[in-house]
Structure formats: structure tokens, C-alpha cells
Amino acid sequence: MTPEEIANLLPAFFAPELRATYGDDASRVLEGLAQQRPTTLRANTLHATRQEVADQLTAEGFRFQQVPWYADAFILEENPRSSLWDSTLIKEGNVYVQSLSSMLPVLFMDLKPGLDVLDMCAAPGGKTTQIAALGAGQLHLTACEQNPVRADKLDFNLRKQGAANVMVMRQDARKLDSFFSFDRVLLDAPCSGSGTLSATDPKLAKRFSEALVKDSCKKQAALLQKALEIVKPGGILLYSTCSVLKRENEEIVAAALKQAAKKGSYKIEALDLSGFEGLPLLPSTLEGAVTVCPTALFEGFFMCRIRRYA
């Protein structure tokens, strides 16, 4: 399909907004939303080494590629996703099925033993369990989730992945008490999911709308203000969404930093992308922020790392 044909399958507001933000690069975004992506997963190193996972994948008949920028990640070839759910790897919690784009934010959090870490919107637990695995059990990790059903799913995944000693807070992260403070905060904010859309999804009109984008922006603004409040001086806040819309990304961050400047000192830190060659990037209007273009391998994604100085 051409970009124009893809645009016609999406809500009317979407393609014009992409073109206003990205110009000619909007066609890349549209083409990416028409792609079928392979199943990707990462080794849960709390249970198994990456080599043990690779050996088990081979033994169970899965063909795969490894990911140059993340040794624990795997891209499956040919095998339908349904067969993976019957594998020993899934049943024993030795892997976690996760998109490559979703794996990125945690890799830029500069995790170190002994740090107090918060995952603000944690369910279903993909990034929480990734933090736990990369921290090798040496972090003080808190996961926040207000939805009871999603919090139950988070609990289940933490247990299955062997992520012990994670404190789960079943409450709205926007209402966290101000006496809480953390060295690292991950805010993978609720969003419209515009970077993950499938242009051929027959239910797309119900799942993605202008109203959803507006509602997401309100939640993001409130969550980011709270995140800026509770990250410690010297600490790092990683803000991310699976959206490619500027109003959920650059505009939210810029407005939040302007407001937070009345109470503290913050600076966006450019992400060091050495070793991440080949990451499909889109231009960003916010210096230091990174927007990943949806492709046949990646979902659309936004990341911004903020350091608090005072």
C-alpha cells in the first residue's frame, strides 16, 4: 500500500498531524504502521542466562536472530506466536515476550546497585521485570499500578519472572505522597498507542481516536509533574510513550519542565546511542529526545531522559 492508501485507513486527524510534525518523514511512519512485526522476546536473566535461552529456543525448534544492541533480546523467525506460548521457556518464566521498542527505555536508566527505583505505570510488568533482571536483585524496586485487574497481572508476572522483593503499590501514581523519593523513575506513560497501530486492524476506529489522545495528554501531564516532584536531586527520570504524536511527547515534556522549573532544576540529557546503530529515528523538536519510527521491526516510540539537579 502507498502512504496515501494507509492514511485513508486511519482516523482523519492522524495523517495530517503526522505530516505537520514530520513533513516527508510522515510517509515512513505510515508505511511502518502497515507492517507485520515478528515476535520478539528477552531472556529473563533472573531465571536463565541468554545462552541457556538460546539453547532452549534451538532445542524447541525456534529459529531466531539476536539483537546487536541488547544481548538478552531475540527476534523469532517463521514460528507463529501461538506455538511460543506452549514452550518450556514461557511456562517456566525464562523469557518475556516484549517489543524491541519497549525494551529500550530501561537500557537508558543507568541502573546501579542499591538505587531506589520506581516504575510509575508498571502493569503488565514488562519493564518492571526488565529492571529487576538488569538490577540482578540489587535494586530497591517499587512498581505502581492503580487498576486492580492490571495490578493482579503485574503481581502474576513478577512472581512468574522471579522478580522478588518488588513492592507493588496499588494506587494512582498521580497521587503518590510527596515524601516518596527515588533515584530513578520510569514513567512509561499511558498513551494513545499511535506508534503501535496496525493500519489493517478492523477495530482501529474504536481503539484509536482524538478523544483518546486528549485523555492521554491530560494523564501524561499530571503523571510527569508528579514524576519530576519525586525524583531525587541527582536522579534520573525516563519518560516514554509508544506514541509518535508530538502533543503526547515533546509538548508534554516541554510544558512539564517549564512548570517544574519553579520548584527545581532539571535538564534533558541526550541519550547515548552509540551501539544502537540502525535504530530508525524520526526528527524531534526537543533537543536530546528520541523518537523511534515504526518499521517492520520496531514500534513507534518516544524517550526522553531528564536529570534533576536541585
Side-chain angles (χ1 to χ4, degrees):
M1 289 187 289
T2 67
E4 290 73 21
E5 290 171 328
I6 297 167
N8 290 334
L9 297 173
L10 301 167
F13 76 90
F14 187 48
E17 188 164 343
L18 289 180
R19 294 187 179 106
T21 300
Y22 298 114
D24 292 341
D25 284 314
S27 293
R28 293 171 54 209
V29 178
L30 292 168
E31 289 167 351
L33 298 179
Q35 301 295 319
Q36 291 281 336
R37 298 182 189 92
T39 299
T40 55
L41 50 86
R42 58 174 173 79
N44 171 26
T45 53
L46 294 172
H47 277 180
T49 67
R50 64 180 69 104
Q51 187 57 55
E52 288 171 339
V53 169
D55 291 344
Q56 188 63 40
L57 284 169
T58 300
E60 295 193 22
F62 293 95
R63 297 177 58 187
F64 60 87
Q65 300 175 29
Q66 291 186 274
V67 179
W69 46 265
Y70 191 12
D72 293 338
F74 299 83
I75 303 166
L76 298 191
E77 300 177 359
E78 298 178 3
N79 300 78
R81 186 171 181 141
S82 58
S83 66
L84 180 64
W85 302 121
D86 297 325
S87 73
T88 302
L89 287 164
I90 288 287
K91 292 177 181 178
E92 295 183 354
N94 292 343
V95 298
Y96 194 98
V97 176
Q98 189 175 7
S99 76
L100 293 183
S101 295
S102 181
M103 297 179 197
L104 286 166
V106 173
L107 301 180
F108 293 102
M109 290 181 67
D110 191 21
L111 299 171
K112 299 175 182 177
L115 292 181
D116 295 313
V117 182
L118 172 66
D119 187 349
M120 286 187 75
C121 302
K127 295 179 183 65
T128 312
T129 55
Q130 185 184 7
I131 292 170
L134 289 175
Q138 299 182 61
L139 302 171
H140 306 295
L141 179 54
T142 301
C144 196
E145 177 55 51
Q146 67 166 329
N147 182 287
V149 175
R150 288 174 58 81
D152 286 344
K153 182 67 172 177
L154 171 63
D155 270 332
F156 172 82
N157 282 327
L158 289 171
R159 291 194 303 271
K160 186 172 184 179
Q161 297 280 297
N165 302 321
V166 178
M167 183 174 74
V168 176
M169 300 178 68
R170 292 172 176 252
Q171 71 172 89
D172 188 338
R174 292 170 290 186
K175 299 178 181 179
L176 285 171
D177 289 324
S178 58
F179 64 78
F180 285 111
S181 62
F182 299 88
D183 301 294
R184 300 289 185 270
V185 176
L186 173 63
L187 174 52
D188 186 51
C191 70
S192 67
S194 66
T196 69
L197 301 178
S198 172
T200 57
D201 181 358
K203 297 182 179 180
L204 179 60
K206 294 182 179 180
R207 294 174 176 169
F208 179 71
S209 65
E210 175 70 24
L212 174 62
V213 176
K214 290 181 177 179
D215 183 60
S216 296
C217 288
K218 290 179 182 178
K219 292 177 181 177
Q220 291 156 3
L223 284 163
L224 186 50
Q225 282 298 326
K226 175 58 68 172
L228 290 165
E229 175 187 331
I230 60 179
V231 67
K232 296 178 183 179
I236 291 171
L237 161 62
L238 200 299
Y239 176 81
S240 64
T241 75
C242 54
S243 178
V244 291
L245 294 177
K246 181 179 177 181
R247 52 178 154 154
E248 294 187 82
N249 299 333
E250 289 95 336
E251 291 181 4
I252 291 292
V253 173
L257 288 177
K258 183 177 181 180
Q259 183 173 344
K262 303 171 185 177
K263 300 179 180 180
S265 176
Y266 304 86
K267 184 179 179 181
I268 295 172
E269 293 187 336
L271 301 182
D272 182 2
L273 296 179
S274 57
F276 289 82
E277 289 78 13
L279 204 62
L281 300 181
L282 290 165
S284 176
T285 56
L286 192 64
E287 186 176 357
V290 168
T291 306
V292 178
C293 183
T295 66
L297 194 55
F298 290 89
E299 293 177 338
F301 216 84
F302 175 83
M303 298 180 291
C304 184
R305 188 167 80 172
I306 300 166
R307 175 85 66 173
R308 181 173 185 176
Y309 288 91

